[in-house]
Amino acid sequence: MAIRVRVFASLKERLGIEQTEIAPEGIGCVADVWRRLTGDDLPPEVLAAVNMNHAGPDAPVRDGDEVAFFPPVTGG
Amino acid sequence: MAVQLVEGEFDPWALLQAEQRRLPPGSFGATACFVGTMRDFNQGDEVEALFLEHYPGMTERELERLTAEARQRWPLAAVLVVHRVGHIRPGEPIVLVGVWSEHRREAFEACRWLMEALKQRAPFWKKEVTPRGARWVEKNTPG
């Protein structure tokens, strides 16, 4: 299994990543996934979702989950 | 259907009429609606076109959650939320929120709440095409 990661909008262009998979070893929460992707701490302006539910940096992430990162939403 | 994502132009008035025809005649006394339309200007620049990205799957779920929450907060006869995705031209509708209820207070309140909640929670992102190039909209206008 793996953790599926998706990135949207300006963040997708900034990181050059739209979708990827990472190994679950060493991953406990949303902030860990970001650190694996970028090597940095999760910035406060970056939003996240786990399995399509809004989630904070400390939200747990398990093998098989889908984690998404995106900038503030601008619909409507 | 209570929630719809639409790629391509839609007629908000036809959708409101179609939804209303599904309701039993006399079962509601108030209809409130909001239609958001694309401007050809933003932040002092001309805007030629808009691209609306979304998170397929999560967007629908989030809109469903919001309509369910609105129906818990207010006694509503029906709710309709329609949102465009993809390429949009100035003058075209982007979003429609329609609410039917017994009385005007809950119709007005639920319509406004839904629209504001959608703007804060639903995973949509706007990219504007201006004469100086394309740019992502970084945050929503306050109202």
Side-chain angles (χ1 to χ4, degrees), chain B residues 32 34 62-74 76 79 81 97 99 105-121:
Chain B
F34 174 84
E62 200 59 40
L63 293 178
E64 297 278 4
R65 275 185 205 124
L66 293 175
T67 57
E69 190 177 337
R71 299 193 76 138
Q72 279 183 339
R73 286 173 174 236
W74 294 277
L76 304 177
V79 179
V81 177
V97 175
V99 172
R105 178 191 292 270
E106 56 261 30
F108 276 131
E109 287 181 0
C111 186
R112 186 186 186 114
W113 180 87
L114 266 167
M115 193 57 223
E116 299 300 333
L118 178 161
K119 286 187 81 87
Q120 287 165 17
R121 295 192 59 84

Side-chain angles (χ1 to χ4, degrees), chain A residues 6-13 47-49 51-54 66-76, chain B residues 53-58 61-62 65 83 95 115 118-127 136-137 139-140:
Chain A
R6 304 180 68 177
V7 184
F8 290 93
S10 59
L11 211 53
K12 173 173 66 183
E13 294 177 2
L47 305 178
N51 298 328
M52 299 187 179
N53 294 305
H54 287 283
E66 176 170 298
V67 179
F69 295 104
F70 42 82
V73 302
T74 54
Chain B
E53 182 172 329
H54 76 298
Y55 184 173
M58 181 173 172
R61 281 169 62 167
E62 200 59 40
R65 275 185 205 124
H83 206 293
V95 61
M115 193 57 223
L118 178 161
K119 286 187 81 87
Q120 287 165 17
R121 295 192 59 84
F124 293 104
W125 302 275
K126 289 190 183 108
K127 191 176 201 177
W136 288 99
V137 177
K139 60 180 179 186
N140 275 320

Side-chain angles (χ1 to χ4, degrees), chain A residues 12-54:
Chain A
K12 173 173 66 183
E13 294 177 2
R14 213 173 87 199
L15 299 184
I17 299 170
E18 183 169 0
Q19 194 168 303
T20 189
E21 289 193 347
I22 61 170
E25 289 76 24
I27 299 291
C29 67
V30 164
D32 294 339
V33 177
W34 180 264
R35 213 168 286 120
R36 176 78 62 84
L37 276 188
T38 67
D40 291 325
D41 291 340
L42 180 66
E45 70 273 16
V46 172
L47 305 178
V50 176
N51 298 328
M52 299 187 179
N53 294 305
H54 287 283

Side-chain angles (χ1 to χ4, degrees), chain B:
Chain B
M1 212 159 79
V3 168
Q4 293 178 45
L5 295 183
V6 181
E7 202 161 346
E9 213 173 342
F10 71 90
D11 180 347
W13 318 112
L15 294 179
L16 283 168
Q17 197 172 38
E19 184 67 22
Q20 186 159 314
R21 284 205 177 116
R22 287 154 37 98
L23 301 175
S27 63
F28 59 93
T31 308
C33 74
F34 174 84
V35 177
T37 306
M38 189 194 151
R39 297 185 304 264
D40 66 358
F41 60 92
N42 193 31
Q43 297 172 344
D45 288 312
E46 186 187 332
V47 181
E48 297 162 348
L50 195 64
F51 177 73
L52 249 159
E53 182 172 329
H54 76 298
Y55 184 173
M58 181 173 172
T59 313
E60 294 89 332
R61 281 169 62 167
E62 200 59 40
L63 293 178
E64 297 278 4
R65 275 185 205 124
L66 293 175
T67 57
E69 190 177 337
R71 299 193 76 138
Q72 279 183 339
R73 286 173 174 236
W74 294 277
L76 304 177
V79 179
L80 178 63
V81 177
V82 182
H83 206 293
R84 274 288 289 279
V85 294
H87 296 277
I88 303 172
R89 311 289 305 176
E92 293 179 359
I94 300 175
V95 61
L96 160 67
V97 175
V99 172
W100 291 261
S101 61
E102 276 184 40
H103 301 287
R104 66 188 181 282
R105 178 191 292 270
E106 56 261 30
F108 276 131
E109 287 181 0
C111 186
R112 186 186 186 114
W113 180 87
L114 266 167
M115 193 57 223
E116 299 300 333
L118 178 161
K119 286 187 81 87
Q120 287 165 17
R121 295 192 59 84
F124 293 104
W125 302 275
K126 289 190 183 108
K127 191 176 201 177
E128 297 175 332
V129 180
T130 77
R132 293 189 288 157
R135 66 184 183 196
W136 288 99
V137 177
E138 293 301 328
K139 60 180 179 186
N140 275 320
T141 51

